[in-house]
Amino acid sequence: MKYEIGDLVSKPVTGICKIEDILYLTSQDEKNNKLYYLMKPIEDEKDKIYVPVSNSDSRLRLCLTKEEAWNLIKRIPEIPTAWINNEKLREQNYKEAVKANDPEALVAIIKMIYQRKQKRLAQGKKCTATDARYFQIAENLLYMELGAAIGKPKKEVCETIIEYITDNCQ
């Protein structure tokens, strides 16, 4: 088994979950030896998610360690923006980044949307609804994972990143 009870794992779209148990859901599952991870999202302890152990490789990955999280934060200035001019391709790119369950892809999306927003504001335009929605999703997923890894509340992560980059990357 790849994960153990107590592990924090990242699940695409949902975010960070804690593995609470590894169990059979039915007697049929027991006969077929089909185990499930019972997970609870860290942001909604009442919710329960079941993921088949046999299918977990494509759906889950261990959360970043503290060291990996700080290494990612250090690299943020160097991570290329995922710039795409085509409106339809851009939304598809956003969806893929969220589904990919890759923190670096989330950083690239956040950087691109932030730059687009600044550009649009300078032209007297508002941020598009699609950009605003995916910016919020990407930030939520990234900050949730970084917060869990470095031991900070999600709402403090953005400030922590800005402080770190300001102090160390100038």
Side-chain angles (χ1 to χ4, degrees):
M1 224 156 311
K2 193 168 184 179
Y3 308 109
E4 298 174 12
I5 295 170
D7 283 349
L8 286 179
V9 294
S10 179
K11 183 177 182 303
V13 185
T14 306
I16 306 309
C17 299
K18 185 176 185 181
I19 295 182
E20 297 285 326
D21 204 351
I22 302 167
L23 52 107
Y24 298 106
L25 294 181
T26 65
S27 55
Q28 188 63 40
D29 290 337
E30 200 165 349
K31 285 181 200 157
N32 296 330
N33 202 26
K34 187 169 184 177
L35 283 166
Y36 289 82
Y37 292 115
L38 162 60
M39 307 182 312
K40 291 191 177 179
I42 62 170
E43 292 210 316
D44 186 2
E45 294 279 323
K46 294 178 208 91
D47 200 8
K48 291 180 182 177
I49 298 171
Y50 296 92
V51 173
V53 169
S54 61
N55 197 9
S56 64
D57 282 352
S58 63
R59 297 187 185 185
L60 305 174
R61 68 169 170 75
L62 279 173
C63 279
L64 296 174
T65 63
K66 189 174 191 173
E67 185 181 343
E68 290 167 336
W70 281 112
N71 284 335
L72 177 67
I73 291 168
K74 283 178 198 167
R75 290 194 338 270
I76 286 175
E78 303 153 21
I79 294 172
T81 338
W83 196 264
I84 294 173
N85 288 322
N86 181 305
E87 218 47 61
K88 284 184 175 40
L89 286 177
R90 188 178 315 114
E91 184 171 4
Q92 187 58 38
N93 197 30
Y94 293 166
K95 284 179 185 173
E96 287 170 9
V98 169
K99 273 183 165 171
N101 200 14
D102 175 8
E104 203 165 303
L106 294 174
V107 170
I109 292 300
I110 291 168
K111 286 175 73 170
M112 178 177 67
I113 296 172
Y114 179 80
Q115 288 175 3
R116 274 183 44 82
K117 183 179 179 182
Q118 296 308 311
K119 205 178 205 179
R120 290 181 66 84
L121 290 173
Q123 298 167 346
K125 298 176 184 176
K126 285 201 248 176
C127 183
T128 68
T130 301
D131 282 358
R133 186 171 75 248
Y134 281 98
F135 188 78
Q136 185 178 10
I137 291 168
E139 267 196 326
N140 183 48
L141 292 170
L142 181 68
Y143 296 169
M144 189 188 319
E145 181 161 7
L146 290 175
I150 64 175
K152 289 200 179 241
K154 182 177 71 174
K155 62 181 184 279
E156 291 178 19
V157 172
C158 184
E159 206 173 285
T160 301
I161 292 169
I162 293 167
E163 280 176 25
Y164 180 86
I165 290 172
T166 304
D167 293 347
N168 296 289
C169 300
Q170 299 299 325

